[in-house]
Amino acid sequence: MRVIAISLVALIALALVPLVASDYQIGLLIGLATYVTLATAWSLFSGHTRYISLATVAFYGIGAYTVAVLNETLPYPIVLLVAGLVGAVVALLVGLSTLRLSGVYFVIFTFGLAELVRQLITWYEVNVTGTLGRYIFLDITAREIYWQMLALGAVTIALAAYIQRRRLGLALRVIGDDETVASHAGINLAQTKLLAFVLSAILLTLAGAIVSPRWVYVEPSIVFNPTVSFLTVIMALLGGANRLWGPALGAVPLFLVFEWLSADFPDTYPIIMGLLFIGVVFLLPNGVIAGLESLRNKWTRQT
Amino acid sequence: MFLTVLILGTVLGGTYALLALGLTLQYGIARIMNLAYGEVTLVAAFFLVWAFQGLNLSPVLSILLLTPAGYGAGWLLYAVMMRPLVKRSGASGRLEVDSILATFGLLFLLQGLLLITFGPNFTSISYLDQGVDILGVSVSANRLIAFVICVVAGAGLLLVLTRTRWGLSLRAVALSPGSAPLVGIDVNRVARQGFALGTALAATAGGALAMYQTFSATEGVIITMKALVIVIMGGKGNVGGALVAGLALGLIETFVATAIDPGLTLAATFAIFLLVLLWRPQGLFGRN
């Protein structure tokens, strides 16, 4: 109960920040909220099952593109609804065809999914509609985008906490430990994985849809930028993908570091990202939270 | 038109097959899914361009240097980076995820280094680019030389794997790493050699690619993707399957690029990948 109360107070405090923040700071806040949402939503599926999905930007981009296509024809709330629906359908199709595959196939497939979606949309726009690039003219301020993203982030974390306490969360953890054991224990593997994958994908799609008015001009190469997928993975892993607050904890410092790096050192950016990946795998294989816990255990045993 | 696709596709497929062979060696013998494979290939390709433009070194000579250099680099990479992960994971299934993430980091590291050194622009060399007439199709001489190099390297590897004692121990570790020690094979050493051999093939294929293809520092991911698709089409660890699947992908890609739209080559590759995964997840030539 106390955790929920503290979280609510923190959420209200976070919602009040843009009232005193500058435009640049609101931009930063939107980025922070976006990546906390993406990393948590990613972990909803990948954290427990250990299926590393690199399709984050496929869904994120689909969300943004849906808004770009529909923003002049439908009212905004319905556009968001449609975006979530499109994300769910795509996730269902992808999930049905690939979730039976074992680890490495899945990684590779998701690795290329964003690229495939990008190529198909580009090809369609050039050959069928005849234009590449669309405009988003929506009367939504940066502050409102931030509030929406904050709400989505809160829903994502709440959903992750709820699932963790339910049978679904337990089933996902058993699958992550050993699929054979899971199937012998009577867990419906395909159905469980599919449900978590679709839920995670809907959240990722909505995040893309909500943040899209920030771009104004949208093009496949902008919204399907693979760096988003990579950043999401490394953030979740840094914090600890199988913990509720792990992804958020990893997303906040890394987003700020990368924001600073991409502004001041755009050339060395990939090198540092690479070193970070290697460092996390070697030094913090289970994330910061687990690392701190084992450190504390060691310390209490010594005293 | 049909003949053009056939000949150009075969030449491209030769390079692809060699690329896939290297990756399947690394995955089959060393059990490392190397996502930085394409970047290693690009390092070799950039070296060839740099040596040709800066030192006036003949590309064929460059490739003769690149193959042993690749072996050495792969040997080191395995000893320094992969071995600790293998040791840590022991018999648990962690190695797959860990190696994917670590080589993922390596991918960015190498890509960043390439970007800083050579910039983001497309590079190519003009070396022996006059056409040679084959059955009425004009193929540039550099493509043919690259194809011959790939055939020689691939055939050499097949001979080593099937006819020598070393090849036998490599295959033994690929087949059953658990029981290989029972017959006196040092699995760690053989895994390192397998990884190094794979890197040597990557370097050779990268050099061959640079002889006739334009490329840029950010293309590594696509190379890795294609090599992976071929490996999976051929069946994991299946050398013959990788050869056939590599040639097939070269043909399909050339066909899509000339007959439909060059922008859809990756989409075509991917569609095939998906079909194979759904229809025969063990690969076209793999056994259950």
Side-chain angles (χ1 to χ4, degrees), chain B residues 54-69:
Chain B
L55 311 173
N56 232 336
L57 193 67
S58 148
V60 179
L61 259 176
S62 262
I63 290 180
L64 286 180
L65 287 176
L66 278 169
T67 310

Side-chain angles (χ1 to χ4, degrees), chain A residues 79-134:
Chain A
V79 174
L80 283 187
L81 208 70
V82 172
L85 214 64
V86 173
V89 169
V90 173
L92 208 63
L93 289 176
V94 172
L96 277 175
S97 51
T98 59
L99 283 175
R100 285 175 300 147
L101 308 170
S102 66
V104 74
Y105 290 145
F106 182 75
V107 179
I108 297 152
F109 180 79
T110 54
F111 198 38
L113 183 67
E115 198 59 29
L116 177 72
V117 174
R118 186 174 71 88
Q119 271 204 355
L120 287 178
I121 292 183
T122 308
W123 183 82
Y124 182 83
E125 295 277 69
V126 169
N127 289 293
V128 180
T129 55
T131 50
L132 191 62
R134 289 167 180 274

